[in-house]
Amino acid sequence: MKTEAQPSTSSLANTSWTGTVISDTVPESQTWEDKGPLTWSATSGTSVAQVSAARVAEAQARTSQPKQISVLEAAAASVLKQKSMYEKVQMTEKKESEVLLARPFWSSKAEYILAQVGFSMKPSCLWRFAHLWLNSGGCSFAIIYIFMLFLVGVPLVFLEMAAGQSMRQGGMGVWKIIAPWIGGVGYSSFMVCFILGLYFNVVNSWIIFYMSQSFQFPVPWEKCPLTMNSSGFDPECEQTTPSIYFWYRQTLKASDRIEDGGSPVYSLVLPFFVCWCLVGAFMINGLKSTGKVICVLVLLSYFIIIGFFIRSLLLEGAKFGLQRLVVAKISDVYNVSVWSVAGGQVLFNTGIGLGSVASLASYMPQSNNCLSDAFLVSVINLLTLLIVTSFNFSVLGFWATVITHRCCERNAEILLKLINLGKLPPDTKPPLDLLDNPTSIYNTWFNGLPQHIKSMVLREVTECNIETQFLKASEGPKFVFLSFVEAMSYLPLSVFWSFIFFLMLLTMGLSSAIGIVQGIVTPLQDNFSFFRKHTKLLIVGLFLLMFACGLFFTQPSGSHFIKLLSNHWIVFPIIVIAIFETMAVSWAYGARRFLADLTILLGHPISPVYGWLWSCVCPVVLLILFVTVMVHLCMKPITYMSWDSSTSKEVLRPYPPWALLLMITLFATVILPIPAYFVYRLIHRIPFRPKSRDRPMTASTSLPLSHQLTPSKEVQKEEILQGDETKYPSTCHVTS
């Protein structure tokens, strides 16, 4: 007797399954016995019947008490079991596909590149780079910076981009996958990024405050304010310049010392809140809307930069500023402090060690060419710095020229008054016509005087020197809010140019703030499913928290703390984080293995030079940089410029000992997760290197669904289906 049972589902008609044999001991009953892999088909024939008879005879000889079931019942059970197993697999794949779809992608590669560029181009980088160029060797500093950028900066940017893109994780989770024992570096970068975000928007609030004041004519930093009864100008302002008075007394309301605290400055609280509202509104609707906003912000800022560059070349004194731009001090090439400053500036400008680069890259497909992206972002960063520095020097040349002209005119008036009063001899009479070129005419006359007449003149008036004035450009934020703003007030249509200038700074500041906050939001969503489901709640809660904590930096002494953190503290944790990132890839995971994985993902080979840079060059250079900065900090006391209200002048003061203790405490706090996570892994005996040594290591949500299952999962799936077919074959021929 020959019985054939087939499932009604056509897709299962020709299914291969693990073979079984049937023992016919009782009429109309069969016994199923596993006999190893054997493929059965739905075709009947003599050869099949003979093989079946042989199998039945062998089974009867070996089986004494076989279990008996109906063939039709077995076939029906097979169909139901297979259907349930297929439904289970489909449900699993559905859940995995939902996980994949939960992580969005950038709408285009242009948005991603602009996001990376916008994050790296912080407003503080612009004025800091220009000031370092001016006071750290000129072109020598620029050459050292470019060398360090391509030696250390580009490889580290490529490393973070590749890690985030291949693992599809933010800055916190990516290092847990690459190197389990060094996973704490992600928590450290998260904390540094959070601290940076607290005070970064305070700088944006300064920009908004200046922008709101630039609608007045004349702008308030151009002239001193009147007294309460309008009887004259403010006496405190008359002892200094209007721009310095507006910066310290009306914007910051700065305290004389860092020890003098106080309540938040109310004129800055509202701009600070507006900054966080803008960033929150840009990010609350997800990555696609964020990408569109970043495109507008970055492109608008570059449009204004190009406009300023063209306008600055037409200013009087621009030639003098550009001449100072190309001056190089060869001796500074051998200065270790210049190399350390350039290296620290490279790390800060590229955004390495904050986790934002990896977080932004995690929303790109794995096959994206992150090597070319790293070069492109770094080159755009460098070109932007060069263009902005060029128009900064041109504007500063104009600023120094105007002030020197006014100095010469003022000296001429003072000398004429003293001659009329009889306090100076007639030989000290300056030229009367100074309208065409006051500086050139006055200096030509002054240099032609006899030495004793020169001494008499200098006892009564100050020397007017354009080079000396050019080098008086302020350091830090004052470079923009004092020197540059004062230069803007000398331009025709000063209100328009001041507003456009602060609009450029605001767009750059907001795009950088978005990148910083993305470096905080992405790790939280990667590690907590609640935040993935409630993104808007996360954004609102995070911004309220950072706004409340950031109010500390809006108090009268807040600017002194910002200088302490940005100029002296942040470079140390960034260097340490970068060192451990290179260790994670080159020593724990393996540089060759990492490059081999990237070769598979990108589809083209990558030069082994990058493995050598990650393994040898970058850790050594970063370690030397850390030691150099530490020695420089210990040998020279750190100082800050404050306002002395009693004399209405700027005073250089040293930071108190507790400020240094605060730096050490913050540094130890943000670095603590690295050894703590190491000890945790040591206690749980987790291997130093990842276990998966024979295949590329990627996050489970990083692959398309067709490639999502690893070989072990595919085998497991196949074994499940075959195991059920072994018990209940979908198609069989039973020969009795």
PDB file of all heavy atoms in Angstrom, residues 1-3 21-33 52-53 55-61 63 66-69 71 734-736:
ATOM      1  N   MET A   1       0.852  -1.181   0.000  1.00  0.00           N
ATOM      2  CA  MET A   1       0.000   0.000   0.000  1.00  0.00           C
ATOM      3  C   MET A   1       0.887   1.229   0.000  1.00  0.00           C
ATOM      4  O   MET A   1       1.865   1.322   0.724  1.00  0.00           O
ATOM      5  CB  MET A   1      -0.906   0.021   1.241  1.00  0.00           C
ATOM      6  CG  MET A   1      -1.834   1.244   1.240  1.00  0.00           C
ATOM      7  SD  MET A   1      -2.807   1.320   2.750  1.00  0.00           S
ATOM      8  CE  MET A   1      -1.516   1.605   3.929  1.00  0.00           C
ATOM      9  N   LYS A   2       0.553   2.244  -0.806  1.00  0.00           N
ATOM     10  CA  LYS A   2       1.351   3.454  -0.949  1.00  0.00           C
ATOM     11  C   LYS A   2       0.458   4.637  -0.618  1.00  0.00           C
ATOM     12  O   LYS A   2      -0.580   4.823  -1.216  1.00  0.00           O
ATOM     13  CB  LYS A   2       1.860   3.536  -2.377  1.00  0.00           C
ATOM     14  CG  LYS A   2       2.707   4.770  -2.639  1.00  0.00           C
ATOM     15  CD  LYS A   2       3.218   4.710  -4.086  1.00  0.00           C
ATOM     16  CE  LYS A   2       4.025   5.932  -4.381  1.00  0.00           C
ATOM     17  NZ  LYS A   2       4.527   5.934  -5.744  1.00  0.00           N
ATOM     18  N   THR A   3       0.863   5.415   0.368  1.00  0.00           N
ATOM     19  CA  THR A   3       0.084   6.564   0.821  1.00  0.00           C
ATOM     20  C   THR A   3       0.917   7.820   0.667  1.00  0.00           C
ATOM     21  O   THR A   3       2.082   7.831   1.039  1.00  0.00           O
ATOM     22  CB  THR A   3      -0.315   6.393   2.303  1.00  0.00           C
ATOM     23  OG1 THR A   3      -0.991   5.150   2.426  1.00  0.00           O
ATOM     24  CG2 THR A   3      -1.215   7.537   2.741  1.00  0.00           C
ATOM     25  N   VAL A  21      12.278   7.155   8.680  1.00  0.00           N
ATOM     26  CA  VAL A  21      11.741   5.889   8.176  1.00  0.00           C
ATOM     27  C   VAL A  21      10.546   5.494   9.007  1.00  0.00           C
ATOM     28  O   VAL A  21      10.392   5.915  10.141  1.00  0.00           O
ATOM     29  CB  VAL A  21      12.801   4.775   8.220  1.00  0.00           C
ATOM     30  CG1 VAL A  21      13.936   5.137   7.293  1.00  0.00           C
ATOM     31  CG2 VAL A  21      13.286   4.551   9.631  1.00  0.00           C
ATOM     32  N   ILE A  22       9.706   4.661   8.418  1.00  0.00           N
ATOM     33  CA  ILE A  22       8.449   4.268   9.049  1.00  0.00           C
ATOM     34  C   ILE A  22       8.454   2.769   9.271  1.00  0.00           C
ATOM     35  O   ILE A  22       8.781   1.997   8.390  1.00  0.00           O
ATOM     36  CB  ILE A  22       7.264   4.658   8.174  1.00  0.00           C
ATOM     37  CG1 ILE A  22       7.332   6.176   7.889  1.00  0.00           C
ATOM     38  CG2 ILE A  22       5.954   4.294   8.804  1.00  0.00           C
ATOM     39  CD1 ILE A  22       6.292   6.644   6.931  1.00  0.00           C
ATOM     40  N   SER A  23       8.082   2.319  10.459  1.00  0.00           N
ATOM     41  CA  SER A  23       7.992   0.894  10.782  1.00  0.00           C
ATOM     42  C   SER A  23       6.536   0.496  10.810  1.00  0.00           C
ATOM     43  O   SER A  23       5.752   1.033  11.578  1.00  0.00           O
ATOM     44  CB  SER A  23       8.654   0.632  12.141  1.00  0.00           C
ATOM     45  OG  SER A  23       8.510  -0.712  12.478  1.00  0.00           O
ATOM     46  N   ASP A  24       6.194  -0.480   9.960  1.00  0.00           N
ATOM     47  CA  ASP A  24       4.797  -0.904   9.809  1.00  0.00           C
ATOM     48  C   ASP A  24       4.590  -2.177  10.611  1.00  0.00           C
ATOM     49  O   ASP A  24       4.766  -3.271  10.128  1.00  0.00           O
ATOM     50  CB  ASP A  24       4.502  -1.133   8.332  1.00  0.00           C
ATOM     51  CG  ASP A  24       3.028  -1.401   8.102  1.00  0.00           C
ATOM     52  OD1 ASP A  24       2.269  -1.248   9.082  1.00  0.00           O
ATOM     53  OD2 ASP A  24       2.680  -1.715   6.968  1.00  0.00           O
ATOM     54  N   THR A  25       4.216  -1.979  11.877  1.00  0.00           N
ATOM     55  CA  THR A  25       4.026  -3.142  12.731  1.00  0.00           C
ATOM     56  C   THR A  25       2.569  -3.484  12.930  1.00  0.00           C
ATOM     57  O   THR A  25       2.221  -4.595  13.247  1.00  0.00           O
ATOM     58  CB  THR A  25       4.654  -2.886  14.110  1.00  0.00           C
ATOM     59  OG1 THR A  25       4.083  -1.692  14.651  1.00  0.00           O
ATOM     60  CG2 THR A  25       6.152  -2.680  13.981  1.00  0.00           C
ATOM     61  N   VAL A  26       1.729  -2.500  12.800  1.00  0.00           N
ATOM     62  CA  VAL A  26       0.298  -2.704  12.979  1.00  0.00           C
ATOM     63  C   VAL A  26      -0.376  -2.202  11.733  1.00  0.00           C
ATOM     64  O   VAL A  26       0.017  -1.196  11.185  1.00  0.00           O
ATOM     65  CB  VAL A  26      -0.220  -1.966  14.226  1.00  0.00           C
ATOM     66  CG1 VAL A  26      -1.713  -2.180  14.414  1.00  0.00           C
ATOM     67  CG2 VAL A  26       0.551  -2.398  15.450  1.00  0.00           C
ATOM     68  N   PRO A  27      -1.383  -2.870  11.260  1.00  0.00           N
ATOM     69  CA  PRO A  27      -2.079  -2.394  10.077  1.00  0.00           C
ATOM     70  C   PRO A  27      -2.566  -0.964  10.271  1.00  0.00           C
ATOM     71  O   PRO A  27      -3.097  -0.603  11.314  1.00  0.00           O
ATOM     72  CB  PRO A  27      -3.240  -3.387   9.931  1.00  0.00           C
ATOM     73  CG  PRO A  27      -2.777  -4.609  10.594  1.00  0.00           C
ATOM     74  CD  PRO A  27      -1.901  -4.172  11.713  1.00  0.00           C
ATOM     75  N   GLU A  28      -2.417  -0.184   9.163  1.00  0.00           N
ATOM     76  CA  GLU A  28      -2.849   1.198   9.101  1.00  0.00           C
ATOM     77  C   GLU A  28      -2.201   2.060  10.176  1.00  0.00           C
ATOM     78  O   GLU A  28      -2.764   3.022  10.652  1.00  0.00           O
ATOM     79  CB  GLU A  28      -4.381   1.312   9.202  1.00  0.00           C
ATOM     80  CG  GLU A  28      -5.084   0.607   8.056  1.00  0.00           C
ATOM     81  CD  GLU A  28      -6.568   0.789   8.149  1.00  0.00           C
ATOM     82  OE1 GLU A  28      -7.018   1.453   9.102  1.00  0.00           O
ATOM     83  OE2 GLU A  28      -7.277   0.303   7.263  1.00  0.00           O
ATOM     84  N   SER A  29      -1.018   1.702  10.631  1.00  0.00           N
ATOM     85  CA  SER A  29      -0.291   2.534  11.589  1.00  0.00           C
ATOM     86  C   SER A  29       1.168   2.481  11.238  1.00  0.00           C
ATOM     87  O   SER A  29       1.659   1.464  10.774  1.00  0.00           O
ATOM     88  CB  SER A  29      -0.518   2.060  13.023  1.00  0.00           C
ATOM     89  OG  SER A  29       0.047   0.782  13.202  1.00  0.00           O
ATOM     90  N   GLN A  30       1.872   3.596  11.489  1.00  0.00           N
ATOM     91  CA  GLN A  30       3.280   3.702  11.144  1.00  0.00           C
ATOM     92  C   GLN A  30       4.039   4.211  12.367  1.00  0.00           C
ATOM     93  O   GLN A  30       3.488   4.823  13.256  1.00  0.00           O
ATOM     94  CB  GLN A  30       3.497   4.656   9.966  1.00  0.00           C
ATOM     95  CG  GLN A  30       2.435   4.587   8.864  1.00  0.00           C
ATOM     96  CD  GLN A  30       2.428   3.237   8.171  1.00  0.00           C
ATOM     97  OE1 GLN A  30       3.460   2.566   8.136  1.00  0.00           O
ATOM     98  NE2 GLN A  30       1.302   2.828   7.649  1.00  0.00           N
ATOM     99  N   THR A  31       5.370   3.958  12.360  1.00  0.00           N
ATOM    100  CA  THR A  31       6.251   4.476  13.408  1.00  0.00           C
ATOM    101  C   THR A  31       7.342   5.311  12.758  1.00  0.00           C
ATOM    102  O   THR A  31       7.966   4.859  11.795  1.00  0.00           O
ATOM    103  CB  THR A  31       6.905   3.328  14.200  1.00  0.00           C
ATOM    104  OG1 THR A  31       5.871   2.582  14.812  1.00  0.00           O
ATOM    105  CG2 THR A  31       7.848   3.876  15.255  1.00  0.00           C
ATOM    106  N   TRP A  32       7.600   6.639  13.319  1.00  0.00           N
ATOM    107  CA  TRP A  32       8.602   7.561  12.763  1.00  0.00           C
ATOM    108  C   TRP A  32       9.908   7.402  13.519  1.00  0.00           C
ATOM    109  O   TRP A  32       9.943   7.330  14.720  1.00  0.00           O
ATOM    110  CB  TRP A  32       8.104   9.009  12.898  1.00  0.00           C
ATOM    111  CG  TRP A  32       6.804   9.242  12.184  1.00  0.00           C
ATOM    112  CD1 TRP A  32       5.548   9.045  12.674  1.00  0.00           C
ATOM    113  CD2 TRP A  32       6.647   9.683  10.843  1.00  0.00           C
ATOM    114  NE1 TRP A  32       4.595   9.342  11.749  1.00  0.00           N
ATOM    115  CE2 TRP A  32       5.247   9.758  10.591  1.00  0.00           C
ATOM    116  CE3 TRP A  32       7.514  10.020   9.803  1.00  0.00           C
ATOM    117  CZ2 TRP A  32       4.716  10.155   9.378  1.00  0.00           C
ATOM    118  CZ3 TRP A  32       6.974  10.431   8.604  1.00  0.00           C
ATOM    119  CH2 TRP A  32       5.602  10.500   8.396  1.00  0.00           C
ATOM    120  N   GLU A  33      10.960   7.266  12.749  1.00  0.00           N
ATOM    121  CA  GLU A  33      12.283   7.093  13.364  1.00  0.00           C
ATOM    122  C   GLU A  33      13.288   7.936  12.614  1.00  0.00           C
ATOM    123  O   GLU A  33      13.368   7.871  11.394  1.00  0.00           O
ATOM    124  CB  GLU A  33      12.726   5.628  13.327  1.00  0.00           C
ATOM    125  CG  GLU A  33      14.103   5.429  13.942  1.00  0.00           C
ATOM    126  CD  GLU A  33      14.524   3.967  13.840  1.00  0.00           C
ATOM    127  OE1 GLU A  33      13.682   3.163  13.458  1.00  0.00           O
ATOM    128  OE2 GLU A  33      15.681   3.679  14.126  1.00  0.00           O
ATOM    129  N   SER A  52      12.251   2.679   0.054  1.00  0.00           N
ATOM    130  CA  SER A  52      11.352   2.748   1.202  1.00  0.00           C
ATOM    131  C   SER A  52      11.204   1.391   1.850  1.00  0.00           C
ATOM    132  O   SER A  52      11.194   1.271   3.073  1.00  0.00           O
ATOM    133  CB  SER A  52       9.979   3.264   0.761  1.00  0.00           C
ATOM    134  OG  SER A  52      10.107   4.563   0.192  1.00  0.00           O
ATOM    135  N   ALA A  53      11.091   0.349   1.043  1.00  0.00           N
ATOM    136  CA  ALA A  53      10.963  -0.999   1.595  1.00  0.00           C
ATOM    137  C   ALA A  53      12.201  -1.387   2.378  1.00  0.00           C
ATOM    138  O   ALA A  53      12.111  -2.006   3.451  1.00  0.00           O
ATOM    139  CB  ALA A  53      10.700  -1.989   0.461  1.00  0.00           C
ATOM    140  N   ARG A  55      14.262   0.622   3.885  1.00  0.00           N
ATOM    141  CA  ARG A  55      14.289   1.410   5.121  1.00  0.00           C
ATOM    142  C   ARG A  55      13.323   0.844   6.151  1.00  0.00           C
ATOM    143  O   ARG A  55      13.627   0.768   7.335  1.00  0.00           O
ATOM    144  CB  ARG A  55      13.900   2.862   4.812  1.00  0.00           C
ATOM    145  CG  ARG A  55      14.924   3.598   3.962  1.00  0.00           C
ATOM    146  CD  ARG A  55      16.159   3.936   4.756  1.00  0.00           C
ATOM    147  NE  ARG A  55      17.090   4.761   4.018  1.00  0.00           N
ATOM    148  CZ  ARG A  55      18.234   5.209   4.494  1.00  0.00           C
ATOM    149  NH1 ARG A  55      18.581   4.890   5.731  1.00  0.00           N
ATOM    150  NH2 ARG A  55      19.033   5.942   3.750  1.00  0.00           N
ATOM    151  N   VAL A  56      12.159   0.392   5.678  1.00  0.00           N
ATOM    152  CA  VAL A  56      11.165  -0.163   6.595  1.00  0.00           C
ATOM    153  C   VAL A  56      11.660  -1.463   7.198  1.00  0.00           C
ATOM    154  O   VAL A  56      11.500  -1.724   8.392  1.00  0.00           O
ATOM    155  CB  VAL A  56       9.827  -0.363   5.865  1.00  0.00           C
ATOM    156  CG1 VAL A  56       8.860  -1.150   6.726  1.00  0.00           C
ATOM    157  CG2 VAL A  56       9.232   0.990   5.496  1.00  0.00           C
ATOM    158  N   ALA A  57      12.274  -2.281   6.394  1.00  0.00           N
ATOM    159  CA  ALA A  57      12.793  -3.554   6.902  1.00  0.00           C
ATOM    160  C   ALA A  57      13.880  -3.326   7.934  1.00  0.00           C
ATOM    161  O   ALA A  57      13.940  -4.003   8.963  1.00  0.00           O
ATOM    162  CB  ALA A  57      13.315  -4.386   5.731  1.00  0.00           C
ATOM    163  N   GLU A  58      14.745  -2.379   7.667  1.00  0.00           N
ATOM    164  CA  GLU A  58      15.827  -2.084   8.619  1.00  0.00           C
ATOM    165  C   GLU A  58      15.260  -1.539   9.917  1.00  0.00           C
ATOM    166  O   GLU A  58      15.716  -1.885  11.005  1.00  0.00           O
ATOM    167  CB  GLU A  58      16.781  -1.072   7.988  1.00  0.00           C
ATOM    168  CG  GLU A  58      17.990  -0.756   8.873  1.00  0.00           C
ATOM    169  CD  GLU A  58      18.903   0.240   8.187  1.00  0.00           C
ATOM    170  OE1 GLU A  58      18.621   0.612   7.019  1.00  0.00           O
ATOM    171  OE2 GLU A  58      19.881   0.649   8.825  1.00  0.00           O
ATOM    172  N   ALA A  59      14.241  -0.723   9.810  1.00  0.00           N
ATOM    173  CA  ALA A  59      13.642  -0.164  11.021  1.00  0.00           C
ATOM    174  C   ALA A  59      12.939  -1.223  11.843  1.00  0.00           C
ATOM    175  O   ALA A  59      13.001  -1.228  13.064  1.00  0.00           O
ATOM    176  CB  ALA A  59      12.652   0.940  10.640  1.00  0.00           C
ATOM    177  N   GLN A  60      12.280  -2.194  11.171  1.00  0.00           N
ATOM    178  CA  GLN A  60      11.577  -3.249  11.893  1.00  0.00           C
ATOM    179  C   GLN A  60      12.556  -4.155  12.611  1.00  0.00           C
ATOM    180  O   GLN A  60      12.263  -4.676  13.678  1.00  0.00           O
ATOM    181  CB  GLN A  60      10.727  -4.068  10.917  1.00  0.00           C
ATOM    182  CG  GLN A  60       9.520  -3.302  10.393  1.00  0.00           C
ATOM    183  CD  GLN A  60       8.746  -4.108   9.357  1.00  0.00           C
ATOM    184  OE1 GLN A  60       9.251  -5.117   8.849  1.00  0.00           O
ATOM    185  NE2 GLN A  60       7.528  -3.647   9.055  1.00  0.00           N
ATOM    186  N   ALA A  61      13.728  -4.321  12.039  1.00  0.00           N
ATOM    187  CA  ALA A  61      14.715  -5.183  12.676  1.00  0.00           C
ATOM    188  C   ALA A  61      15.279  -4.554  13.937  1.00  0.00           C
ATOM    189  O   ALA A  61      15.679  -5.251  14.858  1.00  0.00           O
ATOM    190  CB  ALA A  61      15.846  -5.495  11.689  1.00  0.00           C
ATOM    191  N   THR A  63      13.744  -2.032  15.770  1.00  0.00           N
ATOM    192  CA  THR A  63      12.748  -1.477  16.688  1.00  0.00           C
ATOM    193  C   THR A  63      11.847  -2.580  17.194  1.00  0.00           C
ATOM    194  O   THR A  63      11.270  -3.316  16.411  1.00  0.00           O
ATOM    195  CB  THR A  63      11.907  -0.419  15.975  1.00  0.00           C
ATOM    196  OG1 THR A  63      12.794   0.533  15.389  1.00  0.00           O
ATOM    197  CG2 THR A  63      10.980   0.277  16.959  1.00  0.00           C
ATOM    198  N   PRO A  66       7.816   0.052  18.581  1.00  0.00           N
ATOM    199  CA  PRO A  66       7.721   1.355  17.929  1.00  0.00           C
ATOM    200  C   PRO A  66       6.463   2.096  18.362  1.00  0.00           C
ATOM    201  O   PRO A  66       5.453   1.507  18.693  1.00  0.00           O
ATOM    202  CB  PRO A  66       7.666   1.001  16.439  1.00  0.00           C
ATOM    203  CG  PRO A  66       7.022  -0.342  16.412  1.00  0.00           C
ATOM    204  CD  PRO A  66       7.470  -1.047  17.639  1.00  0.00           C
ATOM    205  N   LYS A  67       6.615   3.475  18.300  1.00  0.00           N
ATOM    206  CA  LYS A  67       5.462   4.323  18.592  1.00  0.00           C
ATOM    207  C   LYS A  67       4.645   4.469  17.320  1.00  0.00           C
ATOM    208  O   LYS A  67       5.180   4.728  16.257  1.00  0.00           O
ATOM    209  CB  LYS A  67       5.948   5.698  19.068  1.00  0.00           C
ATOM    210  CG  LYS A  67       4.817   6.629  19.463  1.00  0.00           C
ATOM    211  CD  LYS A  67       5.377   7.941  19.937  1.00  0.00           C
ATOM    212  CE  LYS A  67       4.267   8.892  20.305  1.00  0.00           C
ATOM    213  NZ  LYS A  67       4.780  10.180  20.766  1.00  0.00           N
ATOM    214  N   GLN A  68       3.324   4.257  17.392  1.00  0.00           N
ATOM    215  CA  GLN A  68       2.487   4.188  16.216  1.00  0.00           C
ATOM    216  C   GLN A  68       1.577   5.416  16.140  1.00  0.00           C
ATOM    217  O   GLN A  68       0.936   5.776  17.107  1.00  0.00           O
ATOM    218  CB  GLN A  68       1.623   2.923  16.246  1.00  0.00           C
ATOM    219  CG  GLN A  68       2.456   1.659  16.328  1.00  0.00           C
ATOM    220  CD  GLN A  68       1.594   0.438  16.542  1.00  0.00           C
ATOM    221  OE1 GLN A  68       0.385   0.568  16.715  1.00  0.00           O
ATOM    222  NE2 GLN A  68       2.203  -0.722  16.514  1.00  0.00           N
ATOM    223  N   ILE A  69       1.579   6.062  14.956  1.00  0.00           N
ATOM    224  CA  ILE A  69       0.670   7.171  14.704  1.00  0.00           C
ATOM    225  C   ILE A  69       0.136   7.033  13.308  1.00  0.00           C
ATOM    226  O   ILE A  69       0.708   6.348  12.467  1.00  0.00           O
ATOM    227  CB  ILE A  69       1.376   8.526  14.860  1.00  0.00           C
ATOM    228  CG1 ILE A  69       2.547   8.611  13.852  1.00  0.00           C
ATOM    229  CG2 ILE A  69       1.881   8.753  16.262  1.00  0.00           C
ATOM    230  CD1 ILE A  69       3.200   9.954  13.835  1.00  0.00           C
ATOM    231  N   VAL A  71      -0.611   8.028   9.540  1.00  0.00           N
ATOM    232  CA  VAL A  71       0.134   8.775   8.525  1.00  0.00           C
ATOM    233  C   VAL A  71      -0.564  10.087   8.213  1.00  0.00           C
ATOM    234  O   VAL A  71       0.058  11.133   8.086  1.00  0.00           O
ATOM    235  CB  VAL A  71       0.292   7.909   7.259  1.00  0.00           C
ATOM    236  CG1 VAL A  71       0.947   8.703   6.145  1.00  0.00           C
ATOM    237  CG2 VAL A  71       1.093   6.676   7.574  1.00  0.00           C
ATOM    238  N   VAL A 734       4.965   6.525   1.637  1.00  0.00           N
ATOM    239  CA  VAL A 734       4.957   5.391   2.551  1.00  0.00           C
ATOM    240  C   VAL A 734       4.605   4.149   1.751  1.00  0.00           C
ATOM    241  O   VAL A 734       3.561   4.091   1.119  1.00  0.00           O
ATOM    242  CB  VAL A 734       3.937   5.595   3.688  1.00  0.00           C
ATOM    243  CG1 VAL A 734       3.994   4.428   4.641  1.00  0.00           C
ATOM    244  CG2 VAL A 734       4.210   6.927   4.405  1.00  0.00           C
ATOM    245  N   THR A 735       5.505   3.206   1.786  1.00  0.00           N
ATOM    246  CA  THR A 735       5.293   1.960   1.045  1.00  0.00           C
ATOM    247  C   THR A 735       5.199   0.822   2.030  1.00  0.00           C
ATOM    248  O   THR A 735       6.077   0.644   2.869  1.00  0.00           O
ATOM    249  CB  THR A 735       6.448   1.703   0.071  1.00  0.00           C
ATOM    250  OG1 THR A 735       6.568   2.855  -0.768  1.00  0.00           O
ATOM    251  CG2 THR A 735       6.177   0.479  -0.763  1.00  0.00           C
ATOM    252  N   SER A 736       4.175   0.087   1.928  1.00  0.00           N
ATOM    253  CA  SER A 736       4.017  -1.061   2.821  1.00  0.00           C
ATOM    254  C   SER A 736       4.238  -2.326   2.033  1.00  0.00           C
ATOM    255  O   SER A 736       3.897  -2.386   0.856  1.00  0.00           O
ATOM    256  CB  SER A 736       2.617  -1.050   3.440  1.00  0.00           C
ATOM    257  OG  SER A 736       1.630  -1.072   2.433  1.00  0.00           O
TER     258      SER A 736
END
